[in-house]
Amino acid sequence: MSDTAVILFNLGGPTAPDTVKPFLLNLFNDKAIIGAPQPVRWLLARSIAGRRTPIARDIYAHLGGKSPIHEATDAQAAALEAILRERLGPEAAPSVHVVMRYWGRRAQAVAPGLAQCGIRRTVLLPLYPQFSTATSASSVREWSDCAAASGLGPATGGICCYPVNRGFVAAAADRIVETLAGYSGEQPRILFSAHGLPEKTIARGDPYRWQVERTAAAIAEALGDRAGDRVICYQSRVGPLKWIGPSTDDEIRRAGAEGRPVLVAPIAFVSEHSETLVELDIEYRKLAAGAGVPAYLRAPTVGTHPAFIGGLADMVEAVLARGGLGPESGGRLCPEGWAACPVAPAS
């Protein structure tokens, strides 16, 4: 049995209607989301969670009262473990464990169990292709604290980002091709939709938007002539702060005004959850109909697409061979201007 474990990070989500509020409280109490010092952050988090809980419960009611992200991530973990066993052999292949950031199997529950099972090496792999301080960095920070407290110690290595990973890009392009296969109308404008961030986060040097742009360019190249007219846009905006744009809903309205069909392709989410199954499939579809969009298509997330899982396995194998925490390429990916990049600039 291998003494190595892959830690697969994801956001988490409510597992029942009565867990919506604690999920939101954990989310907004993260200093990566609200930077105020404690106890101010906790008071703000409690207030925001209280106001948003009824809205969020209505959203999750469309999904049976809970988020499907847990089952979806478990399926990805099982697929990754299976391909690693196939490539490396049952004795050498690492086990794969899901760690959720805000609700579900969190780091403080997973880390002690791995220590008790004799795990000595861990490989960290966020299910966020593009690095952000609000996602990957937050998950790694919480894991590192809990791993140290449980006796696991620092990770052997990990991947901070993989915005142009060959498997990820191939899978995303294939999902778009699959979506177009049954469509015979005018070529739609592709809306490469990613989760938004406040502009002030990017101004502090977060490379997320720059990496999203790299992802969109790579997928467009893989699509070739099928890419056609396309735009990068951002969804899931909340609160009074100014967020990066253009927003996905504004781009849907623009397409309607121009009489253009659209194909929305989520490129920062790798599994289906409320922001795809409700926001994109229900809310934005309704918006598109009202805005006069002649056809509204939505490409699925990469999920357990073999190319994506193969790409994850490639990265795990690379980390096992070289160690260290960095992007898929091993060296720094982001230009020097992105100060929040976790990899130091080359000297």
Side-chain angles (χ1 to χ4, degrees), residues 52 194-198 234-250 253 275 279 284:
R52 291 196 59 81
H195 196 290
L197 279 179
Y234 297 89
Q235 63 181 91
S236 309
R237 180 178 52 201
V238 294
L241 294 175
K242 187 175 182 181
W243 282 46
I244 57 176
S247 67
T248 305
D249 50 345
D250 282 348
R253 293 187 186 95
E275 285 161 312
E279 188 172 12
Y284 285 179

Side-chain angles (χ1 to χ4, degrees), residues 13-266:
T15 51
D18 62 355
T19 66
V20 171
K21 187 172 183 178
F23 162 72
L24 292 174
L25 182 59
N26 289 340
L27 172 67
F28 292 111
N29 196 36
D30 182 0
K31 66 181 180 180
I33 305 299
I34 295 179
Q38 295 288 28
V40 175
R41 183 169 70 248
W42 184 83
L43 293 172
L44 286 171
R46 188 175 68 170
S47 174
I48 296 169
R51 292 197 307 271
R52 291 196 59 81
T53 291
I55 299 169
R57 280 184 177 153
D58 286 344
I59 290 170
Y60 287 109
H62 291 286
L63 305 174
K66 64 184 183 71
S67 173
I69 200 169
H70 300 278
E71 292 84 358
T73 309
D74 285 345
Q76 291 168 319
L80 176 57
E81 185 168 303
I83 196 170
L84 289 171
R85 288 171 65 87
E86 181 181 314
R87 291 184 184 184
L88 303 176
E91 298 302 318
S95 53
V96 180
H97 304 266
V98 171
V99 171
M100 297 298 191
R101 180 63 182 90
Y102 300 117
W103 194 260
R105 282 160 288 170
R106 298 188 63 189
Q108 57 263 48
V110 176
L114 295 185
Q116 292 171 8
C117 290
I119 295 297
R120 296 292 175 262
R121 298 196 303 165
T122 51
V123 174
L124 310 185
L125 183 55
L127 284 174
Y128 309 109
Q130 305 88 11
F131 176 85
S132 175
T133 53
T135 53
S136 302
S138 177
S139 291
V140 169
R141 181 172 57 248
E142 182 180 58
W143 172 262
S144 298
D145 290 344
C146 293
S150 68
L152 272 175
T156 301
I159 298 293
C160 65
C161 60
Y162 45 100
V164 294
N165 173 265
R166 184 181 304 175
F168 168 55
V169 169
D174 194 43
R175 294 301 196 205
I176 292 171
V177 172
E178 291 171 359
T179 304
L180 289 170
Y183 173 72
S184 59
E186 177 190 356
Q187 184 174 24
R189 174 179 294 154
I190 297 178
L191 305 186
F192 288 122
S193 186
H195 196 290
L197 279 179
E199 283 191 354
K200 69 175 187 178
T201 302
I202 301 299
R204 289 196 293 260
D206 192 301
Y208 173 75
R209 179 168 59 184
W210 181 84
Q211 293 198 6
V212 166
E213 291 167 356
R214 303 285 78 72
T215 298
I219 296 171
E221 183 178 2
L223 287 170
D225 292 343
R226 292 187 184 94
D229 183 16
R230 58 193 183 275
V231 65
I232 300 168
C233 47
Y234 297 89
Q235 63 181 91
S236 309
R237 180 178 52 201
V238 294
L241 294 175
K242 187 175 182 181
W243 282 46
I244 57 176
S247 67
T248 305
D249 50 345
D250 282 348
E251 285 299 320
I252 290 171
R253 293 187 186 95
R254 182 168 75 93
E258 297 173 359
R260 290 296 306 276
V262 298
L263 186 157
V264 181

